[in-house]
């Protein structure tokens, strides 16, 4: 019998119960016991939900109060010295201090660094290790959750992050080799597995997602050492779980590792199935990732069934498990709750619960259950309505895309000529000052928006409120002496949602929350159909703001790649096709802004880098279409219109050529936190256009002094030509308050003036 198993379930709760419980606890309103009670109730509810949806085997220890990598570090006692006393005295408080930092009664510790979990929008905490690092088991979370499930009559398979991925995802603070710690780590893993076996677990899912990445010989040797050592331990059987891509060149050695089963991602990499079947050792269990754990669409069950049948024909049903491609952490819980969506669209959506139901249908079909036939038939019909829906496929969009070859993706003249035309038009001083777009989104701004949404504030009153805020912001910028102004983005909630709401092809859920990190959740728009722009989106606000000042007003748009990256994107056409549609819609907006007299237009692409594929071999193709899309959006304007872009990260070294190929007249980037370290990239590669390395870290409430910003500018001046240099903060100011913003920007303008005087 082929079974259905799950690799991980969203833990935040359909109504974000865990978020609420965590935040109440952090505010000191609840006891640890109350928090643990909420967590336990959620685990129980989720286990029952998974069974009810058709799972035969559910995961445990996939739950986390904050992050599963932090849980692993904590369980292994990989706790940096600065938290140790607290973690010993009060483990829960210590755990949260690692996650969030702590400032209280003489204690002041900063949190662990946070970074993206592979190419998802989930962020994990990066364990800090050092050459003398030792490990031991601390607490009993994994065993505890297994026993908790068992007491409820739930047969659960514990999930552990594997030892090699754990090390590869960590960093050492002393520059020592992470993998050198493996020998010390393995006995602790062996003991951990032993305890799970004693508790009654016969299988453990051991996650090694790093197996889908480029590995060098040292990494592979680490894998062999690790699994040889664990094979010798008294332990449960091990399902080695890989996800987020193909094993490719790692397949042969990964399949040969002494585990008892292998999970592979057949959503991202369906083509690897035959090679996997060839490489699978004779008694290994094979877990097929058949439904997409990363996206919200119902599965093409016929295609998935064909894959499963191919595996079934080779190895039979007893060794076969059907699963999502990866943990369901990355999708919301239940699409049927989205009653405000049109019924057809709702029917195309599959969240965690629907994905398990789909797997049940596939397993039933494989096991010869007659009942599966009608379910498959229904799924087929639903799938067909999506394939032919006029909401999804718009002839006008297809026609525009077909004519894309005629759309110029190069500016009229090369940069040096544009530079002259722009200098003539704007007459900006050297080291021009500007900001990244948003100004403080005060309580008042958010309340006005919420009031308007709830129908308590009329359209006219809301507009009047926004005009007043915008006018105040423009006056403020003139007063402190900024050169290129912005309108402040008071009308925007979120930089993707604001555009999605005005474009055809996007829908918004009520409860489609997914965890971003800790208690923070995002509700990505659902990009379900061909994208087009029924009407201008930002012209009204930019034109209004420009009417208030003689200085250049910068129009503000979110770039096509970022819109794509921060949405749940349709899976029925290549991502790059969808991106081109968004780019064309933005091109129209850019041209409308230009026609309305807006001479400077910024197209933000903060997510360009995070779209990079996991394997280096795929980077080029991605960067090619990503850059092309930016240029589709940007390149239609005249020489004397100045295009800016903004990226809020500092790792540029490996993509600098692509960034240059975007050919924006000016880019602003994040640098102040890294003290201009990123400028290394500009030593190696002479970036030709204008550039504003951020001199003010807006992520911190600290107000930098003028001298500090001058020092950063001096550092930048050492690698960039003076005529290239712009002066701006790191990112938008929406999370800051007005008083600090005033002080910081005033100092920033002074720093620019001082530079001009030298
Ligand atoms: N223009 C946006 C802002 O200032 C950019 C935000 C971002 O880079 N994430 O808020
Ligand atoms: Zn930014």
């Amino acid at each position: 019998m082929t079974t259905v198993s799950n690799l991980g379930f969203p833990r935040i709760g359909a109504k974000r119960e865990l978020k609420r419980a965590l935040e109440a606890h952090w505010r000191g309103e609840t006891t640890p016991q109350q928090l643990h009670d909420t967590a336990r109730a959620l685990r129980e509810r989720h286990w029952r939900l998974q069974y009810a949806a058709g799972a035969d085997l559910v995961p445990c220890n996939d739950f986390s109060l904050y992050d599963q990598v932090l849980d692993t570090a904590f369980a292994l006692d990989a706790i940096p010295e600065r938290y140790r006393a607290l973690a010993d005295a009060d483990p829960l408080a210590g755990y949260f201090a690692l996650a969030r930092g702590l400032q209280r009664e003489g204690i002041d510790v900063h949190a662990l660094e946070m970074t993206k979990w592979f190419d998802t929008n989930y962020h994990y905490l990066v364990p800090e290790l050092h050459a003398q690092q030792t490990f031991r088991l601390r607490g009993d979370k994994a065993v505890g959750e297994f026993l908790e499930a068992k007491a409820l009559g739930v047969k659960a398979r514990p999930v552990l992050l594997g030892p090699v991925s754990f090390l590869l995802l960590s960093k050492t603070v002393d520059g020592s080799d992470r993998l050198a710690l493996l020998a010390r780590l393995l006995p602790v893993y062996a003991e951990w597995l032993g305890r799970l076996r004693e508790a009654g677990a016969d299988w453990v899912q051991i996650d090694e997602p790093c197996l889908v990445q480029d590995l060098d010989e040292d990494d592979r040797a680490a894998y062999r050492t690790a699994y040889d050592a664990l094979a010798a331990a008294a332990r449960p059987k091990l399902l080695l779980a890989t996800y987020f891509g193909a094993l490719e060149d790692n397949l042969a050695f990964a399949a040969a590792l002494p585990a008892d089963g292998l999970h592979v991602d057949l959503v991202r990499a369906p083509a690897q199935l035959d090679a996997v079947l060839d490489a699978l050792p004779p008694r290994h269990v094979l877990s097929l990732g058949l439904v997409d754990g990363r996206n919200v669409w119902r599965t093409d069950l016929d295609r998935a069934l064909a894959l499963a049948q191919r595996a079934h024909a080779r190895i039979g049903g007893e060794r076969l498990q059907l699963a999502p491609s990866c943990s369901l952490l990355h999708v919301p819980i239940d699409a049927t709750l989205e009653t405000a969506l049109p019924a057809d669209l709702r029917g195309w959506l599959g969240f965690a619960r629907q994905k398990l139901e789909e797997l049940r249908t596939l397993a039933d079909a494989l096991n010869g259950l007659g009942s599966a036939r009608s379910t498959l038939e229904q799924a087929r019909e639903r799938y067909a309505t999506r394939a032919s829906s006029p909401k999804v496929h718009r002839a006008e969009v297809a026609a525009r895309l077909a004519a894309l070859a005629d759309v110029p993706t190069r500016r009229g003249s090369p940069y040096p000529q544009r530079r002259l035309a722009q200098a003539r038009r704007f007459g900006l001083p050297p080291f021009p000052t500007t900001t990244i777009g948003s100004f403080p989104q005060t309580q008042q701004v958010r309340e006005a928006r919420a009031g308007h949404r709830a129908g308590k504030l009329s359209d006219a009153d809301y507009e009047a409120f926004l005009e007043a805020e915008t006018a105040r912001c423009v006056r403020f910028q003139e007063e402190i002496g900024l050169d290129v102004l912005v309108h402040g983005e008071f009308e925007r909630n979120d930089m993707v949602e604001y555009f999605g709401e005005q474009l055809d092809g996007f829908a918004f859920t009520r409860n489609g929350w997914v965890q971003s990190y800790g208690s923070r959740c995002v509700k990505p728009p659902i990009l379900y159909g061909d994208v087009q722009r029924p009407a201008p989106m930002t012209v009204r606000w930019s034109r209004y703001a420009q009417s208030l000042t003689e200085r250049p007003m910068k129009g503000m748009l979110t770039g096509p790649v970022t819109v794509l990256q921060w949405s749940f994107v349709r899976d029925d056409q290549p991502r790059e096709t969808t991106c081109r549609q968004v780019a064309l819609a933005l091109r129209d907006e850019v041209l409308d802004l230009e026609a309305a007299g807006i001479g400077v237009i910024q197209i933000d692409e903060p997510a360009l880098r995070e779209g990079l594929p996991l394997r280096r071999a795929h980077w080029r193709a991605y960067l090619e279409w990503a850059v092309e899309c930016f240029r589709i959006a940007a390149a239609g304007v005249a020489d004397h219109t100045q295009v800016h872009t903004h990226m809020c990260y500092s790792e540029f070294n490996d993509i600098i050529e692509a960034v240059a190929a975007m050919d924006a007249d000016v880019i602003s980037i994040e640098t102040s936190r890294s003290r201009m370290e990123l400028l290394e990239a500009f030593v190696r590669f002479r970036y030709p256009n204008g550039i504003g390395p951020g001199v003010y870290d807006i992520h911190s409430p600290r107000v930098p002094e003028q001298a500090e910003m001058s020092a950063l500018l001096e550092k930048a001046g050492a690698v960039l030509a003076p005529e290239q240099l712009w002066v701006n903060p790191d990112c938008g100011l929406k999370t800051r308050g007005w008083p600090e913003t005033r002080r910081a920007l005033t100092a920033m303008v002074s720093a620019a003036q001082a530079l001009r005087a030298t």
Side-chain angles (χ1 to χ4, degrees), residues 287-564:
S287 167
L288 302 179
L290 290 174
V291 305
D292 195 347
R294 294 282 299 274
N295 211 336
V296 292
W297 305 104
R298 284 189 184 260
T299 310
D300 178 345
L301 289 180
D302 290 322
R303 248 177 70 193
L305 186 60
L307 289 169
Q309 279 164 338
R310 227 150 82 207
H312 194 270
R314 287 276 291 272
I315 66 169
E318 292 308 314
R319 289 161 60 205
L320 199 59
Q321 296 182 359
L322 308 188
S325 60
C326 58
S327 165
L328 296 173
L329 179 66
H330 311 288
V331 293
I333 292 185
D334 189 351
T336 61
L337 302 178
E338 298 300 332
T339 47
L341 289 177
D344 52 356
L345 174 56
R346 194 183 340 136
W348 303 333
L349 294 175
F351 294 175
R353 183 177 148 199
Q354 287 73 41
K355 288 178 191 292
L356 293 171
E357 290 167 355
E358 290 182 329
L359 289 167
R360 180 75 264 154
T361 302
L362 291 169
D364 287 351
L366 225 50
N367 293 333
L369 260 70
S371 60
R373 196 167 310 147
S374 63
T375 318
L376 278 172
E377 186 50 45
Q378 274 167 22
R380 210 170 282 137
E381 274 165 27
R382 203 164 25 203
Y383 212 78
T385 66
R386 183 175 163 208
S388 62
S389 166
K391 286 188 204 164
V392 176
H393 308 277
R394 294 170 193 268
E396 321 87 86
V397 180
R400 254 196 112 179
L401 222 53
L404 193 60
D406 304 329
V407 173
T409 55
R410 267 173 206 288
R411 296 286 295 274
S413 310
Y415 175 70
Q417 250 161 284
R418 301 193 316 255
R419 187 188 153 73
L420 291 178
Q422 292 162 20
R424 241 176 282 133
R425 176 172 182 188
F426 302 116
L428 295 172
F431 313 107
T433 53
T434 190
T435 62
I436 308 305
S438 58
F439 267 81
Q441 288 255 336
T442 54
Q443 181 77 0
Q444 210 195 355
V445 172
R446 277 179 276 131
E447 273 168 14
R449 184 182 309 123
H452 178 241
R453 287 213 168 192
K456 288 189 218 132
L457 193 63
S458 72
D459 288 353
D461 288 347
Y462 183 54
E463 297 259 309
F465 169 82
L466 290 175
E467 286 195 352
E469 286 294 307
T470 307
R472 199 154 64 100
C473 181
V474 172
R475 249 181 287 131
F476 166 81
Q477 295 172 80
E478 285 193 326
E479 189 191 309
I480 65 164
L482 286 159
D483 300 308
V484 173
L485 311 193
V486 298
H487 72 282
E489 302 183 21
F490 302 106
E491 76 288 8
R492 300 187 190 177
N493 35 3
D494 169 280
M495 64 184 293
V496 173
E497 196 171 55
Y498 183 73
F499 290 91
E501 280 176 343
Q502 300 187 72
L503 289 165
D504 291 337
F506 287 80
F508 296 85
T509 61
R510 285 233 174 111
N511 290 299
W513 297 101
V514 290
Q515 194 176 8
S516 172
Y517 61 87
S519 68
R520 218 182 121 76
C521 301
V522 293
K523 195 151 64 64
I526 296 185
L527 203 178
Y528 68 92
D530 284 347
V531 175
Q532 63 183 359
R533 189 193 67 142
M537 304 181 281
T538 64
V539 175
R540 182 234 184 280
W541 288 110
S542 289
R543 182 190 274 135
Y544 171 70
Q546 182 67 84
S547 76
L548 304 171
T549 179
E550 296 294 310
R551 302 191 191 181
M553 176 58 57
K554 187 157 65 164
M556 282 296 150
L557 303 174
T558 302
V561 182
T562 299
V563 169
L564 193 78

Side-chain angles (χ1 to χ4, degrees), residues 688-711:
N689 304 8
I691 177 162
V695 291
Y696 156 27
D697 177 10
I698 61 86
H699 304 88
S700 158
R702 252 190 94 241
V703 174
E705 306 278 329
Q706 179 189 330
E708 224 174 302
M709 294 193 264
S710 295

Side-chain angles (χ1 to χ4, degrees), residues 179-300:
L179 291 178
L181 298 171
L182 192 61
R184 259 179 252 156
L185 183 60
L186 291 173
V188 185
Y189 262 87
E191 192 191 335
W192 209 2
L193 291 168
R195 287 200 198 169
L196 285 166
R197 193 179 82 141
E198 275 164 36
D202 27 81
W203 279 89
V204 161
Q205 168 190 326
I206 194 147
D207 283 358
E208 289 286 5
C210 290
L211 282 168
V212 307
Q213 289 185 301
D214 297 317
L215 298 178
D216 63 23
E217 264 323 302
D218 290 344
D219 302 334
R220 292 185 191 199
Y223 270 109
R224 287 192 198 97
T225 308
Y227 285 86
D228 284 345
L230 296 184
R235 55 162 176 85
K237 291 185 176 154
L238 297 182
L239 177 79
L240 189 67
T242 70
Y243 41 83
F244 299 152
L247 281 157
E248 283 177 29
D249 52 337
N250 299 327
L251 171 61
F253 99 91
L257 291 172
D260 308 279
L262 181 66
H263 171 84
V264 292
D265 183 341
L266 295 185
V267 173
R268 282 263 173 107
Q272 68 175 338
L273 177 60
D274 289 322
V276 167
L277 288 166
D278 290 341
L280 194 76
R283 272 188 291 277
H284 258 53
V285 160
L286 180 61
S287 167
L288 302 179
L290 290 174
V291 305
D292 195 347
R294 294 282 299 274
N295 211 336
V296 292
W297 305 104
R298 284 189 184 260
T299 310
D300 178 345

Side-chain angles (χ1 to χ4, degrees), residues 436-438 489 495 556 566 602 604 606 646 648 731-734:
I436 308 305
S438 58
E489 302 183 21
M495 64 184 293
M556 282 296 150
W566 292 350
Q602 177 169 309
D604 290 325
H646 164 71
C648 32
C731 195
L733 296 158
K734 67 169 160 236

